[in-house]
Amino acid sequence: MTSPTVAEALAAGLARHQVTAIFGQSLPSALFLATPRHAIRQVAYRTENAGGAMADGYARVSGRIGVVAAQNGPAATLLVPPLAEAMKASVPVLALVQEVPRANRDRNAFQEFDHEALFASCAKWVRRLDDPARVDDYLDMAIATACSGRPGPVVLLLPRDVLTVAVPPGTTARRARLGTFPQDPVRPAAESVARAAELLRTARRPVVVAGGGVHLSGASAALARLQERASLPVGTTTMGKGAVDEQHPLSLGIVSNYMGHGSMSRHVRPVVQEADVVLLVGTRTNENGTDAWRAFPAEATYIHIDVDAAEVGRNYEAVRLVGDARLTLEDLCAALEAGDLAARQTARDDVAERIAGARRAAEVDLAPLVTGESVPLRPERVVAELDAVVRDLDVVFAADASYSTIWMANQLRARHAGQRFLAPRGLAGLGWGVPLALGARVARPGAVVVALVGDGGFGHVWSELETAVREDLPIVVVLLNNGILGFQKHVELVQFGAHTSATDFVSVDHAAVARACGADGVRVDAVADLGPALAKAVGSGRPTLVEVLCDPDAYPPITAWDEVGKRAIRGTGGTA
């Protein structure tokens, strides 16, 4: 029997780890010529940075490692931004990067570069496969590293000549399947769980804040059980949005720097700030997620669940529950149920009524913005219409960084625990909304996938509309076109009273760009056309872009811009 080549063995190993799609162009060619025999789909992107974001979105939605491939040199350098995002956001991605042949190394070969140094800051693990006998060893090391502990990206460098060499006869084949995450989940010490349970049981005003680690761990059901059984109010970070049903009477919505005027969660801020015990679950307690570390009371007692010991207590000294979020929440819920929860149940109605009152107040605040007939349209009106169109569908949302994430987090409702709202909150780079959505669509072909983006971010990835058409990935792109780099222009106006010349764009017909790529494209500039256009796009089963001309003076509900938000709600304009 002829021994397989390294490329063939690598394809077989990826299939063993339940990899069914690789985001990549032609290189490594030897690998992509082998993968069809193992039912692995090649999803060909137009740019490597978008391809890396597709692998990220795929991993977040599927619960399996995302795989992206690229050639050496300039292509490899373009993987740095998406791998850096995955590193900060704790998403397992395997990058397979072709290297120059071994004999040409360190001779200034064509597109030769020090890839180990390149990826050192944005990957958990970087290795080069030089020994054909160790294909499975290195592949398993890579995937186990990516999917265990705090998940993250890894890079396996593949010299071009090694890929075509035969694996030596007698090489031991591996059988493990490691491509799902989390791998090797651990529990915290029982005594620490018992202490945390007692703090929550006896707290007068406890609050739970769930981050993206809840999704990564598959812990939404466990969190929902804890919320219900212990009568605990639960808010989420942006990365954690969808971890709980936001219609639940004890759900607070987004807890972050998006709690300013015009926010659905503005009026629940006192519930958070008056907490005496705060349970943090799978969150980095970063600047935006804590409103610059001002959202939570300094005098509260903190409990922190995270798989990464370095994150526990980073910004708030806490009872340390280092372990997998799902297993820890299950243990914590069991410990609470084993004791007396009468006090929590007694407090439930008052807390629920307080949250309901906060929601009613927010709806009154937002009413002029979500029902107004003004032209250009307010983003709040656009997102409210979108929420109504998809409310009964199986839908995954993705958003660009900057304003699009804020509109998504603030106004789209999570209607069941575990619903996914993808946002690049690791490094918050522009241009990730569309590729995240494409990756999600590969992972969930039966779902409606909607990308909410701005014209600034969309300009980074216009070309990937052709990818959506060619790869038959019918996502819906809702493009909020305000003609400016909104965040940049508005923050300059707020801080300096003036803005730089780089924040304004010439008029672009993005719907025409979509049609030129073979997608459907429609431009909306009137309220009456908005709902029908969104409904048609969602029901079409085709890649579709709905471009909505939006008010360039619409500021989102960032707490630092509260005075601007007040003026917008009062109908006196949003210009700083």
Side-chain angles (χ1 to χ4, degrees), residues 261-311:
H261 283 271
S263 166
M264 279 300 297
S265 55
R266 173 176 175 251
H267 295 282
V268 301
R269 188 171 185 128
V271 176
V272 177
Q273 293 185 319
E274 294 168 13
D276 59 344
V277 175
V278 178
L279 171 61
L280 304 166
V281 187
T283 170
R284 295 177 291 141
T285 61
N286 63 348
E287 183 174 8
N288 286 358
T290 61
D291 195 12
W293 307 283
R294 296 175 300 196
F296 307 124
E299 63 275 12
T301 299
Y302 289 84
I303 305 163
H304 198 160
I305 299 172
D306 203 281
V307 72
D308 186 348
E311 294 296 349

Short mmCIF file of all heavy atoms in Angstrom, two decimals, residues 261-311:
data_model
loop_
_atom_site.label_atom_id
_atom_site.label_comp_id
_atom_site.label_asym_id
_atom_site.label_seq_id
_atom_site.Cartn_x
_atom_site.Cartn_y
_atom_site.Cartn_z
N HIS A 261 -28.25 57.85 27.32
CA HIS A 261 -29.60 58.21 26.88
C HIS A 261 -29.89 57.57 25.53
O HIS A 261 -29.08 57.63 24.61
CB HIS A 261 -29.72 59.74 26.77
CG HIS A 261 -29.88 60.40 28.10
ND1 HIS A 261 -31.11 60.61 28.68
CD2 HIS A 261 -28.97 60.87 28.97
CE1 HIS A 261 -30.95 61.20 29.85
NE2 HIS A 261 -29.66 61.36 30.05
N GLY A 262 -31.06 56.94 25.43
CA GLY A 262 -31.42 56.22 24.22
C GLY A 262 -31.07 54.75 24.27
O GLY A 262 -31.28 54.04 23.30
N SER A 263 -30.57 54.29 25.42
CA SER A 263 -30.24 52.87 25.57
C SER A 263 -31.39 52.12 26.21
O SER A 263 -32.06 52.63 27.12
CB SER A 263 -29.00 52.73 26.45
OG SER A 263 -28.84 51.39 26.87
N MET A 264 -31.61 50.87 25.78
CA MET A 264 -32.64 50.05 26.39
C MET A 264 -32.29 49.68 27.84
O MET A 264 -33.17 49.33 28.62
CB MET A 264 -32.84 48.77 25.57
CG MET A 264 -33.72 48.94 24.34
SD MET A 264 -35.39 49.52 24.74
CE MET A 264 -36.01 48.14 25.72
N SER A 265 -31.02 49.75 28.20
CA SER A 265 -30.63 49.36 29.56
C SER A 265 -30.24 50.55 30.43
O SER A 265 -29.75 50.36 31.54
CB SER A 265 -29.48 48.35 29.51
OG SER A 265 -28.38 48.85 28.77
N ARG A 266 -30.48 51.76 29.96
CA ARG A 266 -30.08 52.93 30.74
C ARG A 266 -30.71 52.94 32.13
O ARG A 266 -30.04 53.22 33.13
CB ARG A 266 -30.47 54.21 29.99
CG ARG A 266 -30.23 55.46 30.83
CD ARG A 266 -30.52 56.74 30.06
NE ARG A 266 -30.38 57.88 30.96
CZ ARG A 266 -31.38 58.61 31.41
NH1 ARG A 266 -32.62 58.32 31.05
NH2 ARG A 266 -31.17 59.62 32.22
N HIS A 267 -31.97 52.60 32.21
CA HIS A 267 -32.68 52.75 33.48
C HIS A 267 -32.47 51.57 34.43
O HIS A 267 -32.95 51.62 35.56
CB HIS A 267 -34.18 52.96 33.22
CG HIS A 267 -34.47 54.24 32.49
ND1 HIS A 267 -34.47 55.47 33.11
CD2 HIS A 267 -34.75 54.48 31.17
CE1 HIS A 267 -34.76 56.42 32.22
NE2 HIS A 267 -34.93 55.84 31.04
N VAL A 268 -31.75 50.53 33.98
CA VAL A 268 -31.40 49.46 34.92
C VAL A 268 -30.04 49.71 35.55
O VAL A 268 -29.60 48.94 36.41
CB VAL A 268 -31.40 48.06 34.26
CG1 VAL A 268 -32.75 47.74 33.67
CG2 VAL A 268 -30.29 47.92 33.22
N ARG A 269 -29.38 50.77 35.14
CA ARG A 269 -28.05 51.05 35.71
C ARG A 269 -28.07 51.11 37.24
O ARG A 269 -27.16 50.59 37.89
CB ARG A 269 -27.48 52.33 35.11
CG ARG A 269 -26.03 52.57 35.52
CD ARG A 269 -25.37 53.71 34.77
NE ARG A 269 -23.97 53.80 35.13
CZ ARG A 269 -22.98 53.83 34.26
NH1 ARG A 269 -23.23 53.77 32.97
NH2 ARG A 269 -21.73 53.92 34.68
N PRO A 270 -29.08 51.72 37.86
CA PRO A 270 -29.09 51.71 39.33
C PRO A 270 -29.13 50.31 39.92
O PRO A 270 -28.57 50.08 41.00
CB PRO A 270 -30.36 52.50 39.67
CG PRO A 270 -30.58 53.40 38.50
CD PRO A 270 -30.14 52.59 37.32
N VAL A 271 -29.79 49.36 39.27
CA VAL A 271 -29.81 47.98 39.76
C VAL A 271 -28.39 47.44 39.84
O VAL A 271 -28.00 46.76 40.81
CB VAL A 271 -30.67 47.08 38.85
CG1 VAL A 271 -30.61 45.63 39.31
CG2 VAL A 271 -32.11 47.58 38.82
N VAL A 272 -27.59 47.76 38.84
CA VAL A 272 -26.21 47.30 38.81
C VAL A 272 -25.38 48.04 39.85
O VAL A 272 -24.60 47.43 40.61
CB VAL A 272 -25.61 47.49 37.40
CG1 VAL A 272 -24.14 47.09 37.37
CG2 VAL A 272 -26.40 46.69 36.37
N GLN A 273 -25.53 49.34 39.92
CA GLN A 273 -24.68 50.14 40.79
C GLN A 273 -25.01 49.98 42.28
O GLN A 273 -24.20 50.33 43.13
CB GLN A 273 -24.77 51.62 40.39
CG GLN A 273 -24.15 51.87 39.01
CD GLN A 273 -24.13 53.34 38.65
OE1 GLN A 273 -25.09 54.07 38.91
NE2 GLN A 273 -23.05 53.78 38.03
N GLU A 274 -26.19 49.45 42.56
CA GLU A 274 -26.55 49.22 43.97
C GLU A 274 -26.32 47.78 44.41
O GLU A 274 -26.65 47.40 45.54
CB GLU A 274 -28.04 49.57 44.16
CG GLU A 274 -28.33 51.05 43.96
CD GLU A 274 -29.83 51.33 43.86
OE1 GLU A 274 -30.63 50.42 44.20
OE2 GLU A 274 -30.19 52.45 43.43
N ALA A 275 -25.72 46.97 43.55
CA ALA A 275 -25.51 45.55 43.88
C ALA A 275 -24.57 45.40 45.06
O ALA A 275 -23.59 46.15 45.20
CB ALA A 275 -24.95 44.82 42.67
N ASP A 276 -24.86 44.43 45.90
CA ASP A 276 -23.93 44.13 47.00
C ASP A 276 -23.07 42.91 46.69
O ASP A 276 -21.98 42.75 47.25
CB ASP A 276 -24.67 43.95 48.33
CG ASP A 276 -25.70 42.84 48.31
OD1 ASP A 276 -26.08 42.40 47.22
OD2 ASP A 276 -26.14 42.41 49.40
N VAL A 277 -23.54 42.04 45.78
CA VAL A 277 -22.75 40.90 45.31
C VAL A 277 -22.87 40.86 43.78
O VAL A 277 -23.98 40.90 43.24
CB VAL A 277 -23.23 39.57 45.91
CG1 VAL A 277 -22.47 38.40 45.30
CG2 VAL A 277 -23.05 39.57 47.43
N VAL A 278 -21.73 40.80 43.11
CA VAL A 278 -21.70 40.75 41.65
C VAL A 278 -21.00 39.47 41.21
O VAL A 278 -19.85 39.23 41.57
CB VAL A 278 -20.96 41.97 41.05
CG1 VAL A 278 -20.92 41.87 39.52
CG2 VAL A 278 -21.62 43.27 41.49
N LEU A 279 -21.73 38.65 40.44
CA LEU A 279 -21.16 37.43 39.87
C LEU A 279 -20.79 37.71 38.42
O LEU A 279 -21.64 38.01 37.59
CB LEU A 279 -22.18 36.29 39.94
CG LEU A 279 -21.82 35.00 39.17
CD1 LEU A 279 -20.53 34.39 39.71
CD2 LEU A 279 -22.97 34.00 39.24
N LEU A 280 -19.50 37.63 38.12
CA LEU A 280 -18.98 37.84 36.77
C LEU A 280 -18.71 36.47 36.15
O LEU A 280 -18.02 35.63 36.75
CB LEU A 280 -17.68 38.64 36.82
CG LEU A 280 -17.75 40.01 37.52
CD1 LEU A 280 -16.35 40.55 37.80
CD2 LEU A 280 -18.55 41.00 36.67
N VAL A 281 -19.22 36.25 34.94
CA VAL A 281 -19.07 34.94 34.30
C VAL A 281 -18.45 35.10 32.91
O VAL A 281 -19.05 35.71 32.02
CB VAL A 281 -20.43 34.22 34.15
CG1 VAL A 281 -20.21 32.80 33.65
CG2 VAL A 281 -21.21 34.22 35.45
N GLY A 282 -17.24 34.61 32.74
CA GLY A 282 -16.62 34.59 31.43
C GLY A 282 -16.44 35.96 30.81
O GLY A 282 -16.69 36.15 29.63
N THR A 283 -15.99 36.93 31.59
CA THR A 283 -15.78 38.28 31.09
C THR A 283 -14.40 38.78 31.50
O THR A 283 -13.92 38.48 32.59
CB THR A 283 -16.86 39.26 31.60
OG1 THR A 283 -16.47 40.60 31.28
CG2 THR A 283 -17.06 39.15 33.10
N ARG A 284 -13.80 39.58 30.59
CA ARG A 284 -12.48 40.15 30.86
C ARG A 284 -12.57 41.43 31.68
O ARG A 284 -11.55 42.04 31.97
CB ARG A 284 -11.78 40.47 29.53
CG ARG A 284 -11.45 39.26 28.67
CD ARG A 284 -10.83 39.69 27.34
NE ARG A 284 -11.78 40.38 26.49
CZ ARG A 284 -11.49 41.43 25.73
NH1 ARG A 284 -10.28 41.95 25.74
NH2 ARG A 284 -12.41 41.99 24.96
N THR A 285 -13.75 41.86 32.02
CA THR A 285 -13.96 43.14 32.74
C THR A 285 -13.17 44.26 32.06
O THR A 285 -12.49 45.04 32.72
CB THR A 285 -13.60 43.03 34.24
OG1 THR A 285 -12.21 42.68 34.39
CG2 THR A 285 -14.46 41.99 34.93
N ASN A 286 -13.31 44.34 30.74
CA ASN A 286 -12.54 45.34 29.99
C ASN A 286 -13.19 46.72 30.07
O ASN A 286 -14.26 46.90 30.67
CB ASN A 286 -12.38 44.88 28.53
CG ASN A 286 -13.70 44.78 27.80
OD1 ASN A 286 -14.78 44.82 28.42
ND2 ASN A 286 -13.65 44.62 26.49
N GLU A 287 -12.58 47.68 29.43
CA GLU A 287 -12.99 49.08 29.57
C GLU A 287 -14.42 49.32 29.12
O GLU A 287 -15.24 49.87 29.86
CB GLU A 287 -12.03 49.98 28.80
CG GLU A 287 -12.34 51.47 28.95
CD GLU A 287 -11.30 52.36 28.30
OE1 GLU A 287 -10.42 51.83 27.59
OE2 GLU A 287 -11.38 53.60 28.49
N ASN A 288 -14.76 48.91 27.89
CA ASN A 288 -16.10 49.16 27.40
C ASN A 288 -17.15 48.36 28.16
O ASN A 288 -18.26 48.84 28.42
CB ASN A 288 -16.19 48.82 25.91
CG ASN A 288 -15.50 49.86 25.04
OD1 ASN A 288 -14.99 50.86 25.53
ND2 ASN A 288 -15.46 49.61 23.74
N GLY A 289 -16.81 47.13 28.53
CA GLY A 289 -17.78 46.27 29.21
C GLY A 289 -18.08 46.66 30.64
O GLY A 289 -19.03 46.14 31.24
N THR A 290 -17.30 47.59 31.18
CA THR A 290 -17.53 48.06 32.55
C THR A 290 -17.77 49.57 32.60
O THR A 290 -17.80 50.14 33.68
CB THR A 290 -16.30 47.74 33.43
OG1 THR A 290 -15.16 48.41 32.89
CG2 THR A 290 -16.04 46.24 33.50
N ASP A 291 -17.97 50.18 31.41
CA ASP A 291 -18.08 51.64 31.32
C ASP A 291 -16.88 52.29 32.01
O ASP A 291 -17.01 53.09 32.93
CB ASP A 291 -19.39 52.15 31.93
CG ASP A 291 -19.68 53.59 31.52
OD1 ASP A 291 -18.99 54.11 30.62
OD2 ASP A 291 -20.60 54.20 32.11
N ALA A 292 -15.69 51.90 31.53
CA ALA A 292 -14.43 52.42 32.07
C ALA A 292 -14.33 52.14 33.57
O ALA A 292 -13.85 52.97 34.35
CB ALA A 292 -14.25 53.90 31.78
N TRP A 293 -14.78 50.93 33.98
CA TRP A 293 -14.70 50.44 35.35
C TRP A 293 -15.52 51.28 36.33
O TRP A 293 -15.25 51.33 37.51
CB TRP A 293 -13.23 50.33 35.80
CG TRP A 293 -12.45 49.52 34.81
CD1 TRP A 293 -12.47 48.17 34.67
CD2 TRP A 293 -11.57 50.01 33.79
NE1 TRP A 293 -11.66 47.79 33.62
CE2 TRP A 293 -11.10 48.89 33.06
CE3 TRP A 293 -11.15 51.29 33.42
CZ2 TRP A 293 -10.21 49.01 32.00
CZ3 TRP A 293 -10.27 51.40 32.36
CH2 TRP A 293 -9.81 50.28 31.66
N ARG A 294 -16.60 51.90 35.79
CA ARG A 294 -17.47 52.73 36.63
C ARG A 294 -18.85 52.13 36.82
O ARG A 294 -19.64 52.63 37.63
CB ARG A 294 -17.65 54.12 36.00
CG ARG A 294 -16.37 54.95 35.90
CD ARG A 294 -16.61 56.24 35.16
NE ARG A 294 -17.08 55.99 33.79
CZ ARG A 294 -17.08 56.89 32.82
NH1 ARG A 294 -16.63 58.11 33.07
NH2 ARG A 294 -17.52 56.58 31.62
N ALA A 295 -19.18 51.05 36.10
CA ALA A 295 -20.54 50.53 36.14
C ALA A 295 -20.84 49.79 37.44
O ALA A 295 -22.00 49.74 37.88
CB ALA A 295 -20.79 49.59 34.95
N PHE A 296 -19.83 49.21 38.06
CA PHE A 296 -20.05 48.37 39.23
C PHE A 296 -19.56 49.06 40.50
O PHE A 296 -18.56 49.78 40.49
CB PHE A 296 -19.32 47.03 39.06
CG PHE A 296 -19.65 46.32 37.79
CD1 PHE A 296 -18.66 45.95 36.90
CD2 PHE A 296 -20.97 46.02 37.47
CE1 PHE A 296 -18.97 45.31 35.72
CE2 PHE A 296 -21.28 45.37 36.29
CZ PHE A 296 -20.28 45.02 35.41
N PRO A 297 -20.23 48.82 41.60
CA PRO A 297 -19.87 49.51 42.85
C PRO A 297 -18.58 48.96 43.44
O PRO A 297 -18.35 47.74 43.49
CB PRO A 297 -21.06 49.22 43.76
CG PRO A 297 -21.67 47.97 43.23
CD PRO A 297 -21.45 47.99 41.75
N ALA A 298 -17.73 49.85 43.91
CA ALA A 298 -16.45 49.45 44.49
C ALA A 298 -16.63 48.64 45.75
O ALA A 298 -15.81 47.77 46.08
CB ALA A 298 -15.60 50.69 44.77
N GLU A 299 -17.72 48.90 46.49
CA GLU A 299 -17.91 48.24 47.79
C GLU A 299 -18.57 46.87 47.68
O GLU A 299 -18.72 46.17 48.69
CB GLU A 299 -18.75 49.14 48.71
CG GLU A 299 -20.17 49.41 48.23
CD GLU A 299 -20.27 50.57 47.25
OE1 GLU A 299 -19.21 51.04 46.76
OE2 GLU A 299 -21.41 51.01 46.98
N ALA A 300 -18.96 46.46 46.50
CA ALA A 300 -19.61 45.15 46.33
C ALA A 300 -18.61 44.02 46.54
O ALA A 300 -17.39 44.19 46.42
CB ALA A 300 -20.23 45.05 44.94
N THR A 301 -19.14 42.85 46.85
CA THR A 301 -18.34 41.63 46.88
C THR A 301 -18.45 40.95 45.51
O THR A 301 -19.56 40.82 44.97
CB THR A 301 -18.85 40.67 47.97
OG1 THR A 301 -18.72 41.32 49.23
CG2 THR A 301 -18.04 39.38 47.98
N TYR A 302 -17.33 40.52 44.97
CA TYR A 302 -17.30 39.97 43.62
C TYR A 302 -16.99 38.47 43.64
O TYR A 302 -16.20 38.00 44.45
CB TYR A 302 -16.27 40.70 42.75
CG TYR A 302 -16.70 42.10 42.41
CD1 TYR A 302 -16.47 43.15 43.30
CD2 TYR A 302 -17.39 42.38 41.24
CE1 TYR A 302 -16.89 44.44 43.01
CE2 TYR A 302 -17.82 43.66 40.94
CZ TYR A 302 -17.57 44.68 41.84
OH TYR A 302 -18.00 45.95 41.56
N ILE A 303 -17.65 37.77 42.73
CA ILE A 303 -17.36 36.37 42.44
C ILE A 303 -17.05 36.31 40.95
O ILE A 303 -17.79 36.87 40.14
CB ILE A 303 -18.58 35.47 42.74
CG1 ILE A 303 -19.06 35.66 44.18
CG2 ILE A 303 -18.25 34.00 42.46
CD1 ILE A 303 -20.48 35.14 44.40
N HIS A 304 -15.95 35.67 40.58
CA HIS A 304 -15.55 35.70 39.17
C HIS A 304 -15.30 34.29 38.67
O HIS A 304 -14.43 33.58 39.18
CB HIS A 304 -14.29 36.55 39.00
CG HIS A 304 -14.04 37.00 37.59
ND1 HIS A 304 -13.22 38.07 37.28
CD2 HIS A 304 -14.51 36.55 36.39
CE1 HIS A 304 -13.20 38.23 35.96
NE2 HIS A 304 -13.97 37.31 35.41
N ILE A 305 -16.08 33.88 37.65
CA ILE A 305 -15.89 32.59 36.98
C ILE A 305 -15.17 32.84 35.66
O ILE A 305 -15.64 33.61 34.82
CB ILE A 305 -17.24 31.92 36.69
CG1 ILE A 305 -18.02 31.64 37.98
CG2 ILE A 305 -17.04 30.63 35.91
CD1 ILE A 305 -19.44 31.15 37.74
N ASP A 306 -14.03 32.17 35.46
CA ASP A 306 -13.35 32.25 34.18
C ASP A 306 -12.37 31.10 34.07
O ASP A 306 -11.81 30.66 35.08
CB ASP A 306 -12.60 33.57 34.01
CG ASP A 306 -12.38 33.92 32.55
OD1 ASP A 306 -11.45 33.35 31.93
OD2 ASP A 306 -13.15 34.74 32.00
N VAL A 307 -12.17 30.62 32.84
CA VAL A 307 -11.23 29.54 32.64
C VAL A 307 -9.78 30.02 32.72
O VAL A 307 -8.87 29.22 32.94
CB VAL A 307 -11.49 28.87 31.27
CG1 VAL A 307 -11.05 29.77 30.12
CG2 VAL A 307 -10.84 27.51 31.18
N ASP A 308 -9.57 31.32 32.58
CA ASP A 308 -8.23 31.91 32.61
C ASP A 308 -7.99 32.53 33.98
O ASP A 308 -8.59 33.55 34.33
CB ASP A 308 -8.10 32.96 31.52
CG ASP A 308 -6.68 33.52 31.38
OD1 ASP A 308 -5.85 33.25 32.27
OD2 ASP A 308 -6.41 34.21 30.39
N ALA A 309 -7.10 31.94 34.75
CA ALA A 309 -6.84 32.43 36.11
C ALA A 309 -6.35 33.87 36.11
O ALA A 309 -6.60 34.61 37.07
CB ALA A 309 -5.81 31.52 36.80
N ALA A 310 -5.68 34.29 35.04
CA ALA A 310 -5.16 35.66 35.00
C ALA A 310 -6.27 36.69 34.88
O ALA A 310 -6.08 37.85 35.26
CB ALA A 310 -4.19 35.80 33.82
N GLU A 311 -7.43 36.30 34.34
CA GLU A 311 -8.55 37.23 34.21
C GLU A 311 -9.35 37.35 35.50
O GLU A 311 -9.98 38.38 35.76
CB GLU A 311 -9.48 36.81 33.07
CG GLU A 311 -8.86 36.88 31.69
CD GLU A 311 -8.48 38.30 31.27
OE1 GLU A 311 -8.87 39.27 31.95
OE2 GLU A 311 -7.78 38.43 30.26
#
